Amino acid sequence: MMAAGQASKNGAHVTLIDKMPALGRKLLLTGNGRCNFTNNRNIDEFYSCYGKNGKFLRNVFARFSNRDLMEFFKDMKIDIQIEYNSSVFPKSGRSSDIVNCLLDFMAKAGVKIVTECSMDKIVIKDKKVIGIIADHELMECDALIVATGGCSYPKSGSDGSGLKIAQEIGHRIITPRPGLVPMIGEGPVVRRLNGLSAQNVKAGLYFDDVCTAERRGDMLFTHSGFSGPAILDLSCNMPMDHKENIRLDIDLMPDLTEAALDRYLLELISEHGRMRIVNILASFLAARMSAYIVEKSCIPMNMVGAEIGREIRLGIIHSIKKNDFKIRGIKTFKESMITIGGIALDEIDPRTMASKLIKELYFCGEIIDVAGISGGYNLQAAFSTGYVAGETAAIPGCH
């Protein structure tokens, strides 16, 4: 939608083709239906949020940054709200406002929209795009922007079909895998903690006892494992071919060292010596988590604070600071927010989003091999690459 509107705004006659009955289905799902469309951090801090491929975005962010995106929506009468971790949402809390804004943008720019129409093939002559086959009919064009998304949430339309078509015309595809997706655990403890949330934990992902990544943030225990921002970010570090000896380590109170936590617990025990230890712990942990910690520490549930000696107290502290869970894998594309992988970046011009193999062919959004952590970074990349692709494709023979 950004690419189509921007191309039309720059003088091109634009037709947007979408296989779904209505536009923006996936956008409606983002941010739990609230649409975390960017982040308020300095743009120079964005690049590390995309891993090794972040440097590819330098040119597009220079032309259309997070500040530009926020101003774009403000100009379209969208009030914004900056929340935890500098995430930016529409103040209304409705992702539909963002979708409607983009529909208005395209309408004012004069974009023609064709829905329930699937692209089957890209037609090329002399290494230049001349059209597409859509629903078995030829549609001619001077330039083509492919913004079909990745493989995540396939019911929204991003089912990987665009990647297959790009591969058919010679583009190399980095094998797609789910990203920002819940992890699957095992054992009765995981099922027992189902529905319990924990705030500001430190979560570490270990392969063969080597920590490969750590994240701070909120998490959620589910019926099958783990979710929440910290876990979803860590899921992007799960390799496709590593399925054994994977574990998740959770520190429930990362802001306190074991010594500091010991002093804090001692103060609570001295003040509330007659209170059961499970209730003392519940003063700073969730009640169900407190019960889990007491059980894990092999302490009777009716034990009171005055009965807690140093050895038991240190055991409690260890149980709070170190919680290991075995990981069996991650959920599928049906539950992943993004796709990791896509069209190889060395085959795309980062200044224009043009294909280096086929003239007048452009790619933008999740179809390319760029994936970020949660917090608005993926939508910003989509909007920025869409903006540049649309602006450049409107100029005949620009590459």
Side-chain angles (χ1 to χ4, degrees):
M1 288 189 280
M2 176 62 81
Q6 191 62 19
S8 188
K9 185 179 175 182
N10 279 272
H13 298 287
V14 180
T15 300
L16 189 155
I17 300 168
D18 197 297
K19 67 164 64 177
M20 304 304 288
L23 303 183
R25 283 198 172 188
K26 188 172 182 182
L27 195 55
L28 289 171
L29 300 172
T30 60
N32 291 320
R34 298 176 58 228
C35 197
N36 176 196
F37 64 84
T38 190
N39 197 283
N40 193 45
R41 294 170 66 184
N42 189 298
I43 197 68
D44 291 332
E45 300 176 53
F46 270 50
Y47 305 109
S48 62
C49 298
Y50 303 93
K52 60 182 177 63
N53 290 345
K55 59 185 178 182
F56 177 86
L57 298 170
R58 289 192 178 276
N59 285 281
V60 294
F61 283 167
R63 288 174 65 177
F64 193 74
S65 69
N66 57 335
R67 308 293 171 207
D68 295 322
L69 182 59
M70 285 187 274
E71 285 302 315
F72 170 84
F73 284 122
K74 287 179 182 178
D75 289 345
M76 297 290 287
K77 310 305 180 186
I78 297 289
D79 293 327
I80 66 172
Q81 183 167 302
I82 301 169
E83 298 185 5
Y84 168 74
N85 201 26
S86 299
S87 297
V88 183
F89 296 82
K91 196 171 184 178
S92 66
R94 296 189 299 265
S95 56
S96 58
D97 287 355
I98 297 296
V99 173
N100 290 333
C101 172
L102 292 168
L103 292 172
D104 288 344
F105 171 57
M106 290 190 297
K108 291 175 181 176
V111 175
K112 178 184 177 182
I113 298 172
V114 178
T115 56
E116 299 184 274
C117 181
S118 297
M119 178 176 69
D120 304 312
K121 183 180 179 181
I122 297 173
V123 183
I124 299 166
K125 183 178 180 181
D126 298 327
K127 294 186 177 181
K128 178 184 179 300
V129 166
I130 61 169
I132 64 170
I133 302 295
D135 288 348
H136 310 294
E137 293 187 8
L138 174 64
M139 300 178 70
E140 295 182 343
C141 64
D142 297 312
L144 174 67
I145 301 172
V146 180
T148 51
C151 306
S152 57
Y153 290 150
K155 288 185 177 180
S156 69
S158 59
D159 57 4
S161 57
L163 290 168
K164 293 177 183 177
I165 293 170
Q167 190 172 36
E168 288 172 358
I169 61 172
H171 270 283
R172 183 165 58 91
I173 307 300
I174 306 302
T175 304
R177 60 187 177 91
L180 296 183
V181 62
M183 293 184 182
I184 304 170
E186 65 177 45
V189 171
V190 171
R191 291 188 291 274
R192 178 184 164 187
L193 296 174
N194 176 31
L196 182 63
S197 61
Q199 284 70 49
N200 193 32
V201 304
K202 181 171 76 173
L205 189 63
Y206 286 76
F207 302 145
D208 297 325
D209 294 324
V210 176
C211 183
T212 60
E214 285 185 342
R215 288 289 185 272
R216 290 280 294 265
D218 299 344
M219 69 166 292
L220 173 69
F221 292 88
T222 70
H223 70 284
S224 60
F226 316 90
S227 190
I231 304 301
L232 297 179
D233 284 347
L234 280 181
S235 72
C236 297
N237 297 94
M238 289 279 286
M240 295 182 66
D241 56 352
H242 198 128
K243 297 181 180 179
E244 300 295 331
N245 302 318
I246 305 174
R247 63 182 175 87
L248 187 66
D249 182 83
I250 305 295
D251 180 351
L252 295 171
M253 299 195 71
D255 290 330
L256 293 179
T257 64
E258 291 195 5
L261 183 54
D262 187 28
R263 289 192 296 270
Y264 179 57
L265 191 54
L266 265 174
E267 290 176 7
L268 291 175
I269 289 173
S270 65
E271 291 178 17
H272 310 285
R274 294 183 179 182
M275 186 183 291
R276 290 194 305 164
I277 186 63
V278 68
N279 292 332
I280 291 175
L281 295 178
S283 66
F284 58 90
L285 294 173
R288 284 173 61 200
M289 182 61 75
S290 301
Y292 163 69
I293 294 297
V294 169
E295 183 179 290
K296 182 185 173 188
S297 304
C298 301
I299 304 169
M301 283 292 176
N302 61 356
M303 181 175 277
V304 299
E307 298 176 300
I308 302 296
R310 183 177 184 275
E311 186 175 344
I312 295 177
R313 195 175 68 249
L314 293 180
I316 293 172
I317 291 167
H318 182 77
S319 295
I320 293 172
K321 298 287 288 181
K322 190 169 182 61
N323 292 274
D324 284 338
F325 301 96
K326 189 171 182 179
I327 300 297
R328 290 197 292 112
I330 56 176
K331 294 283 190 174
T332 66
F333 279 118
K334 290 181 180 179
E335 296 184 52
S336 71
M337 294 184 182
I338 63 167
T339 301
I340 298 175
I343 296 173
L345 298 183
D346 60 0
E347 297 180 352
I348 302 171
D349 187 335
R351 299 166 299 174
T352 62
M353 301 308 299
S355 165
K356 293 181 179 180
L357 309 183
I358 311 295
K359 292 180 180 179
E360 305 306 339
L361 174 62
Y362 303 81
F363 299 106
C364 62
E366 199 176 356
I367 195 172
I368 70 174
D369 184 24
V370 170
I373 61 174
S374 58
Y377 302 102
N378 290 289
L379 278 184
Q380 179 65 56
F383 281 122
S384 293
T385 55
Y387 178 96
V388 171
E391 189 173 68
T392 314
I395 307 169
C398 67
H399 80 283

